[in-house]
Amino acid sequence: GEDVEQSLFLSVREGDSSVINCTYTDSSSTYLYWYKQEPGAGLQLLTYIFSNMDMKQDQRLTVLLNKKDKHLSLRIADTQTGDSAIYFCAEEGNNNDMRFGAGTRLTVKP
Amino acid sequence: DTEVTQTPKHLVMGMTNKKSLKCEQHMGHRAMYWYKQKAKKPPELMFVYSYEKLSINESVPSRFSPECPNSSLLNLHLHALQPEDSALYLCASSQVKGVGGYTFGSGTRLTVV
């Protein structure tokens, strides 16, 4: 099973904020990542955060990192229907291997 | 060029066939990866190449054979596959160390009949 844990589903209304949560295991990970996957496509790197940061903001995306609790979250402001996708949290291991959570399926309702 | 290109996009093969999946990048990345993704599951790591050398093989059956002919190309040779090998096969590349994460291709959807 995955060492990185995420809730599987999230449904929001268009214009609301979405918050996707993740718990990771490897406290030595230097970077933590969020990827987006739309149906039938590969994974798109959305954003990442350096492990000595608490927060990173990039336009509508805000990443929060609680290193003590090994908790990572992704907030999407003003969620749009085009944001509907699967969002994967990931941590990078020592051997360049990226470990993914199970993915959270975000559904945005009009 | 900031893309990873995978060909073919779709592939249907019989269990006795031999086929190859191809992956190409021109970003100067020296680490390349093969992942397998089943429906509604996260990608599972198969192989990692670092500086054109195989550095990780995640106990993948020998019917999958990776090859890295040069720093821009990564192949996955397929032989005697089983129907349960049907999946989306994703290639990715990255810098060997440091920031940037992976750049993924759009994948090859493989169906074994």
Side-chain angles (χ1 to χ4, degrees), chain A residues 19-79:
Chain A
V19 179
I20 302 171
N21 294 302
C22 169
T23 303
Y24 63 97
T25 57
D26 189 351
S27 58
S28 67
S29 295
T30 304
Y31 294 96
L32 294 150
Y33 301 88
W34 284 102
Y35 287 84
K36 175 184 180 183
Q37 187 176 32
E38 298 185 55
L43 277 70
Q44 172 195 354
L45 178 64
L46 275 183
T47 188
Y48 59 89
I49 188 167
F50 188 46
S51 59
N52 70 352
M53 296 172 65
D54 298 323
M55 185 182 86
K56 179 180 179 182
Q57 187 152 2
D58 184 0
Q59 299 183 345
R60 291 191 298 123
L61 305 178
T62 303
V63 179
L64 295 178
L65 176 60
N66 180 329
K67 202 170 179 182
K68 173 176 169 290
D69 294 337
K70 296 181 186 172
H71 185 262
L72 184 72
S73 68
L74 174 70
R75 179 176 179 268
I76 306 173
D78 187 25
T79 314

Side-chain angles (χ1 to χ4, degrees), chain B residues 69-86:
Chain B
N70 60 55
S71 61
S72 299
L73 295 175
L74 185 66
N75 299 321
L76 186 62
H77 303 297
L78 314 173
H79 174 54
L81 294 195
Q82 304 296 310
E84 59 264 30
D85 297 321
S86 298

Side-chain angles (χ1 to χ4, degrees), chain B residues 29-43:
Chain B
H29 289 167
R30 300 304 294 275
M32 295 186 76
Y33 312 84
W34 281 114
Y35 278 83
K36 174 183 177 180
Q37 187 179 27
K38 302 283 273 184
K40 300 183 180 180
K41 294 290 187 181

Side-chain angles (χ1 to χ4, degrees), chain B residues 9-104:
Chain B
K9 292 195 184 306
H10 301 274
L11 178 62
V12 179
M13 61 185 291
M15 289 188 283
T16 58
N17 291 160
K18 286 185 181 181
K19 295 287 184 184
S20 296
L21 309 185
K22 297 186 182 301
C23 175
E24 188 169 3
Q25 57 88 15
H26 296 285
M27 293 176 280
H29 289 167
R30 300 304 294 275
M32 295 186 76
Y33 312 84
W34 281 114
Y35 278 83
K36 174 183 177 180
Q37 187 179 27
K38 302 283 273 184
K40 300 183 180 180
K41 294 290 187 181
E44 296 175 12
L45 182 65
M46 298 175 74
F47 302 105
V48 178
Y49 273 83
S50 182
Y51 297 107
E52 295 88 70
K53 293 195 187 312
L54 184 65
S55 59
I56 295 180
N57 175 342
E58 290 285 338
S59 303
V60 179
S62 59
R63 57 186 185 268
F64 296 91
S65 175
E67 178 197 20
C68 190
N70 60 55
S71 61
S72 299
L73 295 175
L74 185 66
N75 299 321
L76 186 62
H77 303 297
L78 314 173
H79 174 54
L81 294 195
Q82 304 296 310
E84 59 264 30
D85 297 321
S86 298
L88 181 67
Y89 287 84
L90 293 164
C91 174
S93 70
S94 74
Q95 297 176 27
V96 173
K97 290 292 182 188
V99 69
Y102 291 6
T103 302
F104 279 86

Side-chain angles (χ1 to χ4, degrees), chain A residues 76-93:
Chain A
I76 306 173
D78 187 25
T79 314
Q80 303 297 306
T81 54
D83 295 323
S84 293
I86 300 175
Y87 291 81
F88 292 99
C89 167
E91 60 179 353
E92 190 166 11

